[in-house]
Amino acid sequence: MKLPEELQFIENARMPLKTTTARLDGQVCVITGATSGVGYQTAKRLAQAGAHLVLVCRNIEKAQVVKAELAALSNAEVDLVQADFSNLDDVQSAASQILHQFPVIHVLINNAGVHMTTRKLTADGFETAFAVNHLASFLFTRLLLDRMIASTPSRIIQVNSEGHRFGGLKLDDLDWGKRRYRGLQGYGASKTAQLLTVWELAERLAGTGVTINAVHPGEVATNIGMNNGLLYQWYQKYLLSHILKDPHISGEALYYFAAAPELSTTSGKFFNLTIEEKPAPHALDRATGKRIWEISEELTGLHHKIKTMENESLIPAKNPGFTIAS
Ligand SMILES: NC(=O)c1ccc[n+]([C@@H]2O[C@H](COP(=O)([O-])OP(=O)(O)OC[C@H]3O[C@@H](n4cnc5c(N)ncnc54)[C@H](OP(=O)(O)O)[C@@H]3O)[C@@H](O)[C@H]2O)c1
């Protein structure tokens, strides 16, 4: 029996994973949040395939351990960049460091993410899940975009979630000051905002040789949510983790998006692991997408940050990224 379209994601999650044997020798792959879970597994898979890894992590001690593990696994080059993605100045510094250090970027995987059960504002005054999951990945991508356009063919992968189906995005209440905060909806709002900007960016990138897609990495046992209270941690550790899958499937799936030759021109799509899927209707509302694009540019101070980086000659003046921004 075929499930109705809105429940198709259940069936898609059971479909066999598509994989690739294509290698990425020497290709510069930037990945955020590689110290745990999905990002860690993806970094391992990329290293095994010979990629030159740039791991953007908030905890440099954890990142050093991962770097040593990757070095033991393969002879891939691994560089570390420290940044806390709940702080937009840190995101800018990370982008700036990468632009200084790497003349080309072939793959960008925006993976760092959080699930909050309570409303916490970042130092910049944003709701944390919205800031880390959406604003930071939006800003980081935009600041690296010109380098990626100059490095084509190149690919951007947004690690999104079936959690976008929880909804929660209200343009007039992005920081949840007017409503009671609900963790799943806060998470849903951040992932919806990210998806809406994927469609916008894919359209603007058409013909540049840069692709962008969003991927749900499976329901997998990781540390997500472990920043929350003891009750949630207990639920995650003793109940939830037992019904979740091993995150190596996420690493394999994300590697497929980074490397598979058959995806070289695929852009502007959402995938449940490696199966293309239709997102929830609210995540396809292009009018909301255009507003969230503009709002995200404003909230991240994108134009100002681009100007600063132009002045440092990190981004060419009158650059394509800026054209894309306006
Ligand atoms: N697990 C799932 O079933 C699932 C399902 C759908 C989507 N996802 C998505 O998959 C992505 C990875 O999550 P995960 O499940 O692998 O969780 P995880 O094990 O908690 O890993 C999250 C990664 O993001 C980093 N991170 C968190 N907050 C950060 C911040 N403020 N600045 C910089 N880095 C930060 C973490 O760094 P630390 O190591 O320092 O904490 C860690 O490396 C997220 O985008 C999540 O929404 C996961």
Side-chain angles (χ1 to χ4, degrees):
M1 190 188 70
K2 195 156 166 54
L3 291 169
E5 192 174 68
E6 60 275 20
L7 294 178
Q8 192 60 41
F9 68 93
I10 299 171
E11 205 163 289
N12 289 343
R14 297 193 200 117
M15 301 288 272
L17 205 62
K18 294 179 191 165
T19 58
T20 182
T21 53
R23 289 187 58 85
L24 287 177
D25 291 295
Q27 299 268 297
V28 176
C29 299
V30 177
I31 174 165
T32 67
T35 43
S36 173
V38 170
Y40 170 68
Q41 294 295 333
T42 307
K44 261 176 44 179
R45 185 64 185 86
L46 287 162
Q48 281 163 340
H52 179 161
L53 283 163
V54 184
L55 310 182
V56 184
C57 303
R58 68 172 156 183
N59 182 327
I60 207 71
E61 285 80 28
K62 273 171 98 174
Q64 300 278 15
V65 174
V66 172
K67 181 176 171 167
E69 282 180 40
L70 297 180
L73 197 71
S74 70
N75 53 11
E77 269 189 83
V78 182
D79 287 287
L80 304 180
V81 174
Q82 202 266 326
D84 183 336
F85 268 34
S86 65
N87 178 330
L88 295 179
D89 286 342
D90 256 30
V91 176
Q92 182 181 8
S93 304
S96 168
Q97 191 180 327
I98 290 168
L99 293 177
H100 268 295
Q101 218 174 323
F102 300 95
V104 287
I105 304 169
H106 300 107
V107 177
L108 167 61
I109 303 179
N110 281 302
N111 164 75
V114 283
H115 168 225
M116 308 293 294
T117 56
T118 53
R119 176 179 182 257
K120 283 207 179 94
L121 298 185
T122 65
D124 298 323
F126 304 118
E127 187 281 314
T128 301
F130 187 72
V132 176
N133 300 353
H134 169 59
L135 289 178
S137 63
F138 178 84
L139 175 64
F140 195 50
T141 302
R142 295 292 298 279
L143 294 177
L144 298 181
L145 204 55
D146 290 296
R147 192 59 54 86
M148 296 200 73
I149 291 171
S151 314
T152 54
S154 52
R155 303 179 183 196
I156 302 166
I157 300 154
Q158 303 290 43
V159 180
N160 198 266
S161 176
E162 290 295 343
H164 80 271
R165 297 182 189 278
F166 294 124
L169 184 70
K170 270 187 179 279
L171 295 182
D172 64 349
D173 192 22
L174 293 173
D175 67 359
W176 293 79
K178 300 179 188 164
R179 317 168 260 174
R180 181 165 165 223
Y181 188 75
R182 293 180 195 279
L184 291 179
Q185 284 191 312
Y187 185 73
S190 68
K191 295 293 184 181
T192 298
Q194 186 185 57
L195 269 187
L196 288 168
T197 56
V198 167
W199 324 140
E200 293 302 314
L201 191 49
E203 226 167 68
R204 287 161 170 85
L205 285 171
T208 61
V210 185
T211 61
I212 178 164
N213 291 293
V215 181
H216 167 72
E219 283 84 44
V220 290
T222 67
N223 284 320
I224 196 153
M226 293 303 273
N227 52 295
N228 293 304
L230 287 178
L231 188 61
Y232 187 89
Q233 288 183 33
W234 183 89
Y235 162 72
Q236 161 101 343
K237 192 166 170 194
Y238 295 106
L239 299 177
L240 200 54
S241 65
H242 297 291
I243 55 168
L244 297 172
K245 295 183 186 141
D246 187 296
H248 85 269
I249 61 166
S250 316
E252 200 58 52
L254 290 174
Y255 183 74
Y256 177 71
F257 289 97
E262 61 269 32
L263 293 177
S264 63
T265 56
T266 302
S267 195
K269 308 280 186 203
F270 175 68
F271 293 83
N272 183 345
L273 284 164
T274 53
I275 305 298
E276 188 183 335
E277 187 176 283
K278 193 170 173 193
H282 64 258
L284 290 168
D285 181 341
R286 296 300 302 272
T288 309
K290 290 188 192 324
R291 277 300 293 138
I292 199 72
W293 176 271
E294 291 162 2
I295 292 169
S296 304
E297 287 188 341
E298 252 169 63
L299 295 181
T300 56
L302 179 80
H303 293 268
H304 176 72
K305 287 185 166 69
I306 284 184
K307 267 275 163 258
T308 311
M309 290 169 95
E310 278 180 4
N311 293 340
E312 289 171 30
S313 302
L314 287 172
I315 295 179
K318 275 211 225 129
N319 63 82
F322 196 71
T323 311
I324 279 168
S326 48

